[in-house]
């Protein structure tokens, strides 16, 4: 029996509740294989290609590129059916079990998915994608169809939203759907003139012409309200408006929450990084059996952070506000700030306390490349316990970073530049860096924070101190 299956936006994990459509990977009329990616979406964590758990013909898509959909909203509908005796590629009419406005593809399609999606099953091999001409689409005539009539503005909008939620109607062309949306026209109120009640563009255009023109109402002016063109207390500010969505929206929410909940404080110190840079040059210049991958400054600083956190574990913690408890965390999952075209992201190096500088550097390089290409997984952007922020790459010396909620501290590193410095009692030109630590004052007092920062500075100035913890 032919059947139309509705594929809804699945739960992508990590507590995500919505996603924005970035790019459709299929068109209406395409035949998709089971587990074939059908749409690319952007969540607050990463860019994700969403696979479809069904195989068949795409009969409808819900949402244009740039549309933000909640989890559970329809993404598209896929028609599946049985093989015609002649083996020709035609579409057969959907039976009662196929759902409203159903269409089915001629050609047996398995309906199981090998991909684990919340709310969808597993199993069955993929099939080859091919293009199917939609002329054979058959759908029942819209029930209780009535001549198109004008709807009030609120009713039209409600009808449009309901159409998006309830699923497919007897329309193949996305242009027809778009035309109807632009004029707030409920397609379920139209009787299609095409085969078996298919709604054509001519039907929509005819309904639009029959709609009475809405009179332009003068804006109501309430006593005390500012006249048009005058800036009042509630007037919307003029200028370009950029929606806070995706990564930018997630960053805005997290930073605002951090400022609301965390009583932070910042301390900083200048350090002579000459010896650290010399040690790095020696590592990267080694040949023969001692040769290895290049070690970055960020990797060395990350290794210093893990050694410092082992001495001051109160900074590797979080606050359980409901239980009124400080939770000291046994593992160090070290986040590092990375600027990408999509905005600021903080990939996380898992179990950094078990890694040496070379291993940390390799993982930072892998995560940085994934961040730049937009292929980071949500799990690689969450679960951090401490963050390292190298803002020196922007050519600045100091900063007071905002803590990455719900962590308890963040170490900021400025640029390393030649400066006059007193070294061994004499004035010399040394390579100096400013280090700043922003910490949650609930988890520790200034003594612990100052001790942590001083230890980091000492390791920067005398890298041999790290030999104690190797």
């Amino acid at each position: 029996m032919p059947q139309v299956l509705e594929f809804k936006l699945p739960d992508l994990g990590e507590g995500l509740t919505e996603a924005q459509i970035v790019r459709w990977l299929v068109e209406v009329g395409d035949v998709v294989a089971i587990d074939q990616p059908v749409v690319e979406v952007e969540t607050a964590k990463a860019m994700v290609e969403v696979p479809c758990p069904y195989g068949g013909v795409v009969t409808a898509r819900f949402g244009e590129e740039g549309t933000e959909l909640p989890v559970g909203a329809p993404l598209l509908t896929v028609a599946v059916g049985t093989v015609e005796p002649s083996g020709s590629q035609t579409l057969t009419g959907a039976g009662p079990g196929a759902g409203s406005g159903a269409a089915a593809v001629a050609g047996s399609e398995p309906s199981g998915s090998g991909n684990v999606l919340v709310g969808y099953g597993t199993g069955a091999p993929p099939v080859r994608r091919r293009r199917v001409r939609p002329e054979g689409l058959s759908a029942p005539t819209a029930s209780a169809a009535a001549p198109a009539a004008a709807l009030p503005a609120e009713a039209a909008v409600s009808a449009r939203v309901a159409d998006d939620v309830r699923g497919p109607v007897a329309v193949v062309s996305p242009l027809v759907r778009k035309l109807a949306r632009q004029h707030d026209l409920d397609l379920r109120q139209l009787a299609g003139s095409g085969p078996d009640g298919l709604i054509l563009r001519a039907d929509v255009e005819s309904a639009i012409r029959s709609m009475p023109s809405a009179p332009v109402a003068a804006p109501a002016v309430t006593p005390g309200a500012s006249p048009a063109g005058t800036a009042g207390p509630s007037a919307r500010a003029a200028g370009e408006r950029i929606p806070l969505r995706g990564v930018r929206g997630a960053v805005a929410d997290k930073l605002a929450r951090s400022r609301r909940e965390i009583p932070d404080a910042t301390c900083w110190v200048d350090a002579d990084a000459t010896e650290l840079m010399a040690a790095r040059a020696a590592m990267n210049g080694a040949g023969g059996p001692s040769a290895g991958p290049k070690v970055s400054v960020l990797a060395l600083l990350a290794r210093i952070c893990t050694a410092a956190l082992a001495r001051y574990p109160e900074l590797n913690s979080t606050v359980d506000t409901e239980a009124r408890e400080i939770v000291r965390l046994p593992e160090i999952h070290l986040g590092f700030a990375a600027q990408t075209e999509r905005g600021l992201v903080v990939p996380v190096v898992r179990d950094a306390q078990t890694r040496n500088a070379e291993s940390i550097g390799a993982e930072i390089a892998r995560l940085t490349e994934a961040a730049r290409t937009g292929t980071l997984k949500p799990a690689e952007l969450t679960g951090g316990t401490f963050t390292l922020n190298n803002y020196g790459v922007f050519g600045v010396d100091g900063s007071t970073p905002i803590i990455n909620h719900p962590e308890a501290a963040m170490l900021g590193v400025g640029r390393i530049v030649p400066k006059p410095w007193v070294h061994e009692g004499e004035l010399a030109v040394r390579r100096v860096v400013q280090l700043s630590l922003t910490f949650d004052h609930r988890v520790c007092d200034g003594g612990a924070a100052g001790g942590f920062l001083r230890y980091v500075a000492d390791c920067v100035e005398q890298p041999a101190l790290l030999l104690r913890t190797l």
Side-chain angles (χ1 to χ4, degrees), residues 308-370:
L309 289 171
R311 285 175 169 248
Y312 299 93
E314 47 266 76
L315 292 171
N316 192 60
S317 62
T318 188
V319 175
D320 186 339
T321 54
E322 293 186 1
R324 295 184 60 82
E325 294 175 340
I326 297 172
V327 183
R328 291 191 180 177
L329 305 169
E331 294 86 16
I332 299 174
H333 300 316
L334 188 66
F336 63 95
Q339 191 70 37
T340 70
E341 293 181 357
R342 298 173 56 238
L344 179 68
V345 295
V346 184
V348 178
V349 178
R350 302 282 170 182
D351 299 309
Q353 80 282 357
T354 66
R355 299 173 181 263
N356 56 26
E358 187 175 292
S359 173
I360 292 175
E363 183 68 357
I364 287 176
R366 183 189 72 81
L367 293 170
T368 300
E369 181 59 26

Coordinates of all heavy atoms in Angstrom, one line a residue, residues 308-370:
A308 N 48.9 23.5 36.3 CA 48.5 24.5 37.3 C 47.1 24.0 38.0 O 46.9 24.2 39.2 CB 48.3 25.9 36.7
L309 N 46.2 23.5 37.2 CA 45.0 23.0 37.7 C 45.1 21.8 38.6 O 44.3 21.6 39.5 CB 44.0 22.7 36.5 CG 43.5 23.9 35.7 CD1 42.7 23.4 34.5 CD2 42.6 24.7 36.6
A310 N 46.2 21.0 38.4 CA 46.4 19.9 39.3 C 46.8 20.5 40.7 O 46.5 19.9 41.7 CB 47.5 19.0 38.8
R311 N 47.5 21.6 40.7 CA 47.9 22.2 42.0 C 46.7 23.0 42.6 O 46.6 23.1 43.8 CB 49.0 23.2 41.8 CG 50.4 22.5 41.6 CD 51.5 23.5 41.2 NE 52.8 22.9 41.3 CZ 53.7 23.1 42.2 NH1 53.5 24.0 43.2 NH2 54.9 22.5 42.2
Y312 N 45.8 23.6 41.8 CA 44.7 24.4 42.3 C 43.4 23.9 41.7 O 42.8 24.5 40.8 CB 44.9 25.9 41.9 CG 46.2 26.5 42.5 CD1 47.4 26.5 41.8 CD2 46.2 27.0 43.8 CE1 48.6 27.0 42.3 CE2 47.3 27.6 44.3 CZ 48.5 27.5 43.6 OH 49.7 28.1 44.2
P313 N 43.0 22.7 42.2 CA 41.8 22.1 41.6 C 40.5 22.9 41.8 O 39.5 22.6 41.1 CB 41.7 20.7 42.3 CG 42.4 21.0 43.6 CD 43.5 21.9 43.3
E314 N 40.5 23.8 42.7 CA 39.3 24.6 42.9 C 38.9 25.4 41.7 O 37.7 25.8 41.5 CB 39.4 25.6 44.1 CG 40.7 26.4 44.1 CD 41.8 25.7 45.0 OE1 42.4 24.8 44.4 OE2 42.0 26.2 46.1
L315 N 39.8 25.6 40.8 CA 39.5 26.4 39.6 C 39.0 25.5 38.5 O 38.5 25.9 37.4 CB 40.7 27.2 39.1 CG 41.2 28.3 40.0 CD1 42.5 28.9 39.6 CD2 40.1 29.4 40.0
N316 N 39.1 24.2 38.7 CA 38.5 23.2 37.7 C 37.2 22.6 38.4 O 37.1 21.5 38.7 CB 39.5 22.0 37.4 CG 39.1 21.2 36.3 OD1 38.9 21.7 35.2 ND2 38.9 19.9 36.5
S317 N 36.3 23.5 38.5 CA 35.0 23.2 39.2 C 33.9 23.9 38.6 O 34.0 24.7 37.7 CB 35.2 23.5 40.7 OG 35.4 24.9 40.9
T318 N 32.7 23.6 39.2 CA 31.5 24.3 38.8 C 30.6 24.5 40.0 O 30.9 23.8 41.0 CB 30.7 23.6 37.7 OG1 29.6 24.4 37.2 CG2 30.2 22.3 38.2
V319 N 29.6 25.4 39.9 CA 28.8 25.6 41.1 C 27.4 25.1 40.8 O 26.8 25.4 39.8 CB 28.7 27.2 41.4 CG1 27.7 27.4 42.5 CG2 30.1 27.7 41.8
D320 N 26.9 24.2 41.7 CA 25.5 23.7 41.6 C 24.7 24.7 42.5 O 24.6 24.6 43.7 CB 25.5 22.3 42.2 CG 24.1 21.7 42.0 OD1 23.1 22.4 41.8 OD2 24.0 20.4 42.0
T321 N 24.0 25.6 41.8 CA 23.3 26.7 42.5 C 22.1 26.1 43.3 O 21.8 26.6 44.3 CB 22.8 27.8 41.5 OG1 22.1 27.2 40.5 CG2 24.0 28.5 41.0
E322 N 21.4 25.1 42.7 CA 20.3 24.5 43.4 C 20.7 23.8 44.7 O 20.0 23.9 45.7 CB 19.5 23.6 42.5 CG 18.9 24.3 41.3 CD 18.1 23.3 40.4 OE1 18.0 22.1 40.8 OE2 17.5 23.7 39.4
A323 N 21.8 23.0 44.6 CA 22.2 22.3 45.8 C 23.1 23.2 46.7 O 23.4 22.8 47.8 CB 23.0 21.1 45.4
R324 N 23.5 24.4 46.2 CA 24.4 25.3 46.9 C 25.7 24.5 47.2 O 26.2 24.5 48.4 CB 23.8 25.9 48.2 CG 22.6 26.8 47.9 CD 22.1 27.4 49.1 NE 23.1 28.3 49.8 CZ 23.4 29.5 49.5 NH1 22.8 30.1 48.4 NH2 24.3 30.2 50.1
E325 N 26.3 23.9 46.2 CA 27.5 23.2 46.4 C 28.5 23.5 45.3 O 28.1 23.8 44.1 CB 27.2 21.7 46.3 CG 26.4 21.1 47.5 CD 26.0 19.7 47.3 OE1 26.1 19.2 46.2 OE2 25.7 19.1 48.4
I326 N 29.8 23.5 45.6 CA 30.9 23.6 44.6 C 31.3 22.1 44.2 O 31.5 21.3 45.1 CB 32.1 24.3 45.2 CG1 31.7 25.7 45.6 CG2 33.2 24.3 44.2 CD1 32.8 26.5 46.3
V327 N 31.3 21.9 42.9 CA 31.6 20.5 42.4 C 32.9 20.6 41.8 O 33.1 21.2 40.7 CB 30.5 20.1 41.4 CG1 30.8 18.7 40.9 CG2 29.1 20.2 42.0
R328 N 33.9 20.0 42.5 CA 35.3 19.9 41.9 C 35.3 18.7 40.9 O 35.0 17.6 41.3 CB 36.3 19.7 43.0 CG 36.5 21.0 43.8 CD 37.7 20.9 44.7 NE 37.8 22.2 45.5 CZ 38.7 22.4 46.4 NH1 39.6 21.4 46.7 NH2 38.8 23.5 47.1
L329 N 35.8 18.9 39.7 CA 35.7 17.9 38.7 C 37.0 17.2 38.5 O 38.1 17.8 38.5 CB 35.4 18.6 37.3 CG 34.1 19.5 37.4 CD1 33.9 20.3 36.2 CD2 32.9 18.6 37.6
P330 N 37.0 15.8 38.4 CA 38.2 15.0 38.4 C 39.0 15.1 37.1 O 40.2 15.1 37.1 CB 37.7 13.6 38.7 CG 36.3 13.6 38.2 CD 35.8 15.0 38.5
E331 N 38.3 15.3 36.0 CA 38.9 15.4 34.7 C 39.0 16.8 34.2 O 38.2 17.7 34.6 CB 38.1 14.6 33.6 CG 38.1 13.1 33.8 CD 37.0 12.7 34.7 OE1 36.0 13.5 34.9 OE2 37.0 11.5 35.2
I332 N 40.1 17.1 33.5 CA 40.2 18.5 32.9 C 39.9 18.4 31.4 O 40.6 17.8 30.6 CB 41.7 19.0 33.1 CG1 42.1 19.1 34.6 CG2 41.9 20.3 32.4 CD1 43.5 19.4 34.8
H333 N 38.8 19.0 31.1 CA 38.4 19.1 29.7 C 38.6 20.5 29.3 O 37.9 21.4 29.6 CB 36.9 18.7 29.5 CG 36.6 17.3 29.9 ND1 37.4 16.2 29.6 CD2 35.6 16.8 30.6 CE1 36.9 15.1 30.1 NE2 35.8 15.4 30.7
L334 N 39.7 20.7 28.6 CA 40.2 22.1 28.3 C 39.7 22.7 27.0 O 39.9 22.2 25.9 CB 41.8 22.0 28.2 CG 42.5 23.4 28.2 CD1 42.3 24.1 29.5 CD2 44.0 23.2 27.9
G335 N 38.9 23.7 27.2 CA 38.4 24.4 26.0 C 39.3 25.5 25.6 O 40.1 26.1 26.4
F336 N 39.3 25.8 24.3 CA 40.1 27.0 23.8 C 39.3 27.7 22.8 O 38.5 27.2 22.0 CB 41.4 26.5 23.2 CG 41.2 25.6 21.9 CD1 41.3 26.1 20.7 CD2 41.0 24.2 22.1 CE1 41.1 25.4 19.5 CE2 40.8 23.4 20.9 CZ 40.9 24.0 19.7
A337 N 39.3 29.1 22.9 CA 38.5 29.9 22.0 C 39.1 29.9 20.6 O 40.3 30.1 20.4 CB 38.5 31.3 22.6
A338 N 38.2 29.8 19.7 CA 38.6 29.8 18.2 C 37.6 30.7 17.5 O 36.4 30.5 17.5 CB 38.5 28.4 17.7
Q339 N 38.1 31.6 16.8 CA 37.3 32.5 15.9 C 37.1 31.9 14.6 O 38.1 31.6 13.9 CB 38.0 33.9 15.9 CG 37.1 35.0 15.3 CD 35.9 35.4 16.2 OE1 36.1 35.4 17.4 NE2 34.8 35.6 15.7
T340 N 35.9 31.8 14.1 CA 35.6 31.3 12.8 C 34.7 32.2 12.0 O 34.2 33.2 12.6 CB 34.9 29.9 12.9 OG1 33.6 30.1 13.4 CG2 35.7 29.0 13.8
E341 N 34.4 31.9 10.8 CA 33.5 32.8 10.0 C 32.1 32.8 10.6 O 31.4 33.7 10.4 CB 33.5 32.3 8.5 CG 34.8 32.5 7.8 CD 34.7 32.0 6.4 OE1 33.7 31.5 6.0 OE2 35.7 32.2 5.6
R342 N 31.7 31.7 11.3 CA 30.4 31.6 11.9 C 30.3 32.2 13.2 O 29.3 32.3 13.8 CB 30.0 30.1 12.0 CG 29.9 29.4 10.7 CD 29.7 27.9 10.8 NE 28.5 27.7 11.6 CZ 28.5 27.0 12.8 NH1 29.6 26.5 13.2 NH2 27.4 26.7 13.4
G343 N 31.5 32.7 13.7 CA 31.5 33.3 15.1 C 32.5 32.6 16.0 O 33.3 31.7 15.6
L344 N 32.4 33.0 17.3 CA 33.3 32.4 18.3 C 32.8 31.0 18.7 O 31.6 30.9 19.1 CB 33.4 33.3 19.5 CG 34.3 32.9 20.6 CD1 35.7 32.9 20.2 CD2 34.0 33.8 21.8
V345 N 33.7 30.0 18.7 CA 33.3 28.7 19.2 C 34.4 28.3 20.2 O 35.6 28.8 20.1 CB 33.2 27.7 18.1 CG1 32.0 28.0 17.2 CG2 34.5 27.6 17.2
V346 N 34.1 27.4 21.1 CA 35.1 26.9 22.1 C 35.1 25.4 22.0 O 34.4 24.7 22.7 CB 34.7 27.4 23.5 CG1 35.8 26.9 24.5 CG2 34.5 28.9 23.5
P347 N 36.0 24.8 21.1 CA 36.2 23.3 21.1 C 36.8 22.9 22.4 O 37.5 23.6 23.1 CB 37.1 23.1 19.9 CG 37.0 24.4 19.1 CD 36.7 25.5 20.0
V348 N 36.7 21.6 22.7 CA 37.1 21.1 24.0 C 38.1 19.9 23.7 O 37.8 19.0 23.0 CB 35.9 20.6 24.8 CG1 36.4 20.0 26.1 CG2 35.0 21.8 25.1
V349 N 39.3 20.0 24.4 CA 40.2 18.9 24.4 C 39.9 18.0 25.6 O 40.0 18.4 26.7 CB 41.7 19.4 24.5 CG1 42.7 18.2 24.6 CG2 42.0 20.3 23.3
R350 N 39.4 16.8 25.3 CA 39.0 15.9 26.4 C 40.2 15.3 27.1 O 41.2 15.0 26.5 CB 38.2 14.8 25.8 CG 36.9 15.2 25.1 CD 35.8 15.6 26.0 NE 34.7 16.3 25.3 CZ 33.7 16.7 25.8 NH1 33.5 16.6 27.1 NH2 32.7 17.3 25.1
D351 N 40.0 15.2 28.5 CA 41.0 14.5 29.3 C 42.4 15.1 29.1 O 43.4 14.4 28.9 CB 41.0 13.0 29.1 CG 39.7 12.4 29.4 OD1 39.2 12.7 30.5 OD2 39.1 11.7 28.6
A352 N 42.5 16.4 29.1 CA 43.8 17.1 28.8 C 44.8 16.8 29.9 O 46.0 16.8 29.6 CB 43.6 18.6 28.8
Q353 N 44.4 16.4 31.1 CA 45.3 16.0 32.2 C 46.1 14.8 31.8 O 47.2 14.5 32.5 CB 44.6 15.9 33.5 CG 43.9 14.6 33.8 CD 42.6 14.4 33.0 OE1 42.1 15.4 32.4 NE2 41.9 13.3 33.2
T354 N 45.7 14.0 30.9 CA 46.4 12.7 30.5 C 47.3 12.9 29.3 O 48.0 12.0 28.9 CB 45.4 11.6 30.2 OG1 44.6 12.0 29.1 CG2 44.4 11.4 31.4
R355 N 47.3 14.1 28.7 CA 48.1 14.4 27.5 C 49.3 15.2 27.8 O 49.4 16.0 28.7 CB 47.2 15.1 26.5 CG 45.9 14.4 26.1 CD 45.0 15.3 25.2 NE 43.8 14.7 24.8 CZ 43.6 14.1 23.6 NH1 44.6 14.1 22.8 NH2 42.4 13.6 23.3
N356 N 50.3 15.0 26.9 CA 51.5 15.8 26.9 C 51.3 16.9 25.9 O 50.3 17.0 25.2 CB 52.8 15.0 26.6 CG 52.7 14.3 25.3 OD1 52.0 14.7 24.4 ND2 53.4 13.2 25.1
A357 N 52.3 17.8 25.8 CA 52.2 19.0 24.9 C 52.0 18.6 23.5 O 51.2 19.2 22.7 CB 53.4 19.9 25.1
E358 N 52.6 17.5 23.0 CA 52.5 17.1 21.6 C 51.1 16.6 21.4 O 50.5 16.9 20.3 CB 53.5 16.0 21.4 CG 53.6 15.6 19.9 CD 54.7 14.6 19.7 OE1 55.9 15.0 19.8 OE2 54.4 13.4 19.4
S359 N 50.5 15.8 22.3 CA 49.2 15.3 22.1 C 48.2 16.4 22.1 O 47.2 16.4 21.3 CB 48.9 14.2 23.2 OG 47.6 13.8 23.1
I360 N 48.3 17.3 23.1 CA 47.4 18.4 23.2 C 47.4 19.3 21.9 O 46.4 19.7 21.3 CB 47.7 19.3 24.4 CG1 47.4 18.6 25.7 CG2 46.9 20.6 24.3 CD1 47.8 19.3 26.9
G361 N 48.7 19.5 21.4 CA 48.8 20.3 20.2 C 48.1 19.6 19.0 O 47.5 20.3 18.2
A362 N 48.3 18.3 18.9 CA 47.6 17.6 17.7 C 46.1 17.7 17.8 O 45.4 17.9 16.8 CB 48.1 16.1 17.7
E363 N 45.6 17.6 19.0 CA 44.1 17.7 19.2 C 43.6 19.1 18.9 O 42.6 19.3 18.3 CB 43.7 17.2 20.6 CG 42.2 17.2 20.8 CD 41.5 16.1 20.0 OE1 42.1 15.4 19.2 OE2 40.3 16.0 20.2
I364 N 44.4 20.1 19.4 CA 44.0 21.5 19.1 C 44.0 21.7 17.6 O 43.1 22.4 17.1 CB 45.0 22.4 19.8 CG1 44.7 22.4 21.3 CG2 44.8 23.9 19.3 CD1 45.6 23.3 22.1
A365 N 45.0 21.2 16.9 CA 45.0 21.4 15.4 C 43.9 20.7 14.7 O 43.2 21.3 13.8 CB 46.4 20.8 14.9
R366 N 43.5 19.5 15.2 CA 42.4 18.8 14.6 C 41.1 19.6 14.8 O 40.3 19.8 13.9 CB 42.3 17.4 15.2 CG 41.1 16.6 14.5 CD 40.9 15.3 15.3 NE 40.3 15.5 16.6 CZ 39.0 15.6 16.7 NH1 38.2 15.6 15.7 NH2 38.5 15.8 17.9
L367 N 40.8 20.0 16.1 CA 39.6 20.7 16.4 C 39.5 22.1 15.7 O 38.4 22.5 15.3 CB 39.5 20.9 17.9 CG 39.3 19.6 18.7 CD1 39.4 19.8 20.2 CD2 37.9 19.0 18.4
T368 N 40.7 22.8 15.6 CA 40.7 24.1 14.9 C 40.3 23.9 13.5 O 39.5 24.7 12.9 CB 42.1 24.7 15.1 OG1 42.4 24.9 16.4 CG2 42.1 26.1 14.4
E369 N 40.8 22.9 12.8 CA 40.5 22.7 11.4 C 39.0 22.4 11.2 O 38.3 22.9 10.3 CB 41.3 21.6 10.8 CG 41.1 21.3 9.3 CD 41.3 22.5 8.4 OE1 42.1 23.4 8.8 OE2 40.7 22.5 7.4
A370 N 38.5 21.6 12.1 CA 37.0 21.2 12.1 C 36.2 22.5 12.4 O 35.1 22.6 11.7 CB 36.7 20.1 13.1

